[in-house]
């Protein structure tokens, strides 16, 4: 099995964590919602798999292209 990184596409703040470690995800299922420029931007799973690790928490600042979670596919 491979670990796949979930990447923040924009810089912003983690508004809400939508998924839990151990949860089975399908491609495009929401993992977190970022707030950037007063907009809510969902970050989805890049592939089907099981969420193994969440690297950010609600309120955390994230940079563009930062790894925010990992999925085992």
């Amino acid at each position: 099995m491979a670990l796949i990184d979930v990447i923040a596409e924009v810089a912003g703040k983690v508004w809400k964590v939508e998924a839990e470690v151990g949860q089975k995800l399908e491609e495009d299922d929401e993992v977190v919602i970022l707030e950037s420029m007063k907009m809510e931007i969902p970050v989805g799973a890049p592939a089907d798999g099981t969420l193994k690790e969440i690297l950010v928490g609600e309120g955390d600042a994230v940079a563009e292209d930062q790894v925010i979670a990992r999925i085992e596919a």
Side-chain angles (χ1 to χ4, degrees):
M1 298 216 160
L3 285 180
I4 299 170
D5 292 337
V6 180
I7 307 290
E9 297 174 5
V10 297
K13 186 182 204 180
V14 178
W15 182 70
K16 188 172 184 182
V17 176
E18 291 284 342
E20 296 179 5
V21 171
Q23 181 176 338
K24 300 247 186 244
L25 299 171
E26 293 183 8
E27 186 173 359
D28 295 327
D29 282 352
E30 288 182 3
V31 178
V32 301
I33 298 176
L34 300 179
E35 181 180 48
S36 181
M37 298 182 292
K38 297 184 181 182
M39 296 186 330
E40 295 174 10
I41 301 157
V43 178
D48 294 354
T50 302
L51 186 59
K52 286 297 178 186
E53 188 175 20
I54 298 175
L55 303 171
V56 296
E58 292 180 6
D60 288 353
V62 296
E64 185 175 352
D65 296 327
Q66 178 178 334
V67 176
I68 58 174
R70 290 197 172 93
I71 295 172
E72 186 174 70

